[in-house]
Amino acid sequence: MASPKTEEAATAECLKNALQGLRPDEDVLIDILCRRTHHQRQEIRRKYQLEYRRDLIDDARHKFRGKFGEVVVALLTPMPEYLAQELHRALRGRRQEVFLEVFCSYDNTINRAIKKAYYESYAITLESAIRSQHLDDFQMLLESLVSNERDEEDAAIPELPLRVARQLYQAVGGAEPDKGELRRIFTTYSYQTLRDIFQMYCEVAGKQLEDVLRGKADSDEFFEGLLTAYYSIQNPTAFFAREFRSSMEGLGTRDRQLIRLVVTRSQVDMKAIKNEYKRIFNRSLKKDIKLMSVACPLPLLLLV
């Protein structure tokens, strides 16, 4: 008597059937992929490979084109590998703000996995890939974000925020800011400790760090990057709400940015981002995606 199929095997069979023929069944694919967690999608992909000796991503890429296909492939790709691909595209397209989006929001474990996936995909370390570009102060900031690991236990040191806030005040002030010290501060302390440092800086300096960085950002790409890092660390949900808005502004939607934001945040903090988006812009994020993104793929809306 044949053993009953596991849920993953049954789902893999549904996907195989949906992908057959000249007109694949998008509804089945959407129903399966958008109602599973990222981990479940990886298990289904693994089972598909075992059952049919085929890669589900390759089959989906063959059947679907355009934005719908991009979303399907993004949903099926392991997150570290997907983010490694996005960083690689960012380097090639000089859109290095993606590095700030990634390495100012994830913890050390995920960042290590991203770097490992990058090396396995491109046979070069992410740090070396950054150094292969024109190495200016901004590139050095990105390299520090990638190469340094944050001390995720530093919240246990109560005197640390005030001490580092004083160091920050010395580093950012004056006609010649100490960019090396600023890189160290922004890339080695935990996110919570940095938020405490930013608060203490206000008490030490008598002004908001945001105002100081903004005053220098107009004429210096390094400080522009530091300001972006500040926003991401200080209030991640507000940062991502504004990133969503940015992806839909202007003459055309930045589809790749929008897809990346939806796919990566859907199981992290999407509910909080939607609430923050509503608070800041007094609009529904889901409705704006539908209105502003031409021919928006249905999977994107289901994930929001």
Side-chain angles (χ1 to χ4, degrees):
M1 181 178 176
S3 59
K5 288 185 177 180
T6 64
E7 182 181 347
E8 289 83 3
T11 304
E13 184 177 15
C14 286
L15 286 170
K16 182 175 183 295
N17 293 335
L19 289 169
Q20 288 179 337
L22 295 176
R23 293 180 62 84
D25 194 332
E26 293 184 1
D27 292 339
V28 170
L29 202 71
I30 290 169
D31 184 67
I32 290 173
L33 296 183
C34 294
R35 301 185 195 285
R36 276 17 180 229
T37 65
H38 182 74
H39 175 74
Q40 289 170 331
R41 290 194 291 268
Q42 297 313 306
E43 286 300 305
I44 291 167
R45 182 187 174 196
R46 184 185 65 82
K47 195 65 177 178
Y48 189 95
Q49 176 79 39
L50 288 172
E51 292 284 334
Y52 307 112
R53 301 293 187 268
R54 300 174 64 87
D55 189 340
L56 181 54
I57 286 182
D58 289 341
D59 285 356
R61 188 180 282 122
H62 176 71
K63 290 291 185 179
F64 301 109
R65 296 290 186 268
K67 286 190 282 186
F68 185 90
E70 287 183 32
V71 175
V72 169
V73 169
L75 288 171
L76 288 170
T77 304
M79 195 58 65
E81 183 182 337
Y82 173 67
L83 287 171
Q85 292 169 1
E86 289 296 288
L87 292 168
H88 186 65
R89 289 189 182 96
L91 276 176
R92 291 169 60 191
R94 299 291 295 176
R95 294 192 61 84
Q96 286 127 321
E97 66 272 14
V98 179
F99 281 81
L100 298 165
E101 174 191 314
V102 172
F103 285 97
C104 289
S105 59
Y106 292 108
D107 62 22
N108 288 337
T109 300
I110 295 176
N111 288 343
R112 282 187 219 112
I114 294 168
K115 291 190 286 185
K116 181 173 182 288
Y118 192 94
Y119 183 78
E120 290 172 349
S121 295
Y122 304 108
I124 185 175
T125 67
L126 191 48
E127 294 91 333
S128 296
I130 294 170
R131 284 195 295 270
S132 70
Q133 308 286 310
H134 172 64
L135 199 60
D136 54 20
D137 289 330
F138 178 64
Q139 300 291 128
M140 290 172 68
L141 172 62
L142 299 185
E143 184 186 4
S144 296
L145 280 169
V146 171
S147 60
N148 291 347
E149 292 213 345
R150 298 186 183 278
D151 184 353
E152 294 175 343
E153 305 297 327
D154 58 14
I157 310 173
E159 69 275 11
L160 184 63
L162 178 58
R163 185 173 78 234
V164 179
R166 289 171 175 155
Q167 295 168 351
L168 179 57
Y169 176 70
Q170 293 295 324
V172 79
E176 292 294 330
D178 188 341
K179 293 181 177 179
E181 178 71 347
L182 290 170
R183 287 199 310 272
R184 182 191 70 80
I185 292 171
F186 270 76
T187 63
T188 57
Y189 296 107
S190 70
Y191 299 129
Q192 182 54 57
T193 293
L194 278 170
R195 285 189 280 272
D196 294 339
I197 291 167
F198 298 158
Q199 182 177 348
M200 284 293 181
Y201 175 91
C202 185
E203 296 181 17
V204 170
K207 63 182 83 171
Q208 295 287 343
L209 179 60
E210 175 186 356
D211 296 333
V212 176
L213 296 177
R214 192 189 295 119
K216 297 176 182 290
D218 289 340
S219 58
D220 192 321
E221 189 181 23
F222 172 83
F223 281 101
E224 185 180 354
L226 218 57
L227 182 62
T228 301
Y230 170 86
Y231 286 139
S232 178
I233 294 165
Q234 177 71 351
N235 189 338
T237 53
F239 171 78
F240 280 106
R242 290 188 170 93
E243 287 295 288
F244 269 106
R245 187 68 178 176
S246 171
S247 75
M248 296 180 283
E249 285 181 333
L251 294 176
T253 304
R254 298 191 184 108
D255 296 324
R256 181 165 294 282
Q257 181 186 7
L258 180 60
I259 291 169
R260 182 179 67 251
L261 289 169
V262 172
V263 170
T264 57
R265 307 316 297 182
S266 61
Q267 290 176 225
V268 179
D269 51 2
M270 184 60 79
K271 184 176 180 180
I273 291 170
K274 287 195 294 184
N275 291 338
E276 191 70 5
Y277 190 94
K278 178 71 173 177
R279 185 189 70 80
I280 296 172
F281 302 110
N282 195 30
R283 300 174 65 92
S284 162
L285 175 57
K286 191 167 189 173
K287 288 181 179 178
D288 273 358
I289 291 175
K290 188 174 182 178
L291 285 170
M292 297 181 186
S293 180
V294 179
C296 175
L298 182 57
L300 275 188
L301 295 176
L302 293 178
L303 292 168
V304 176

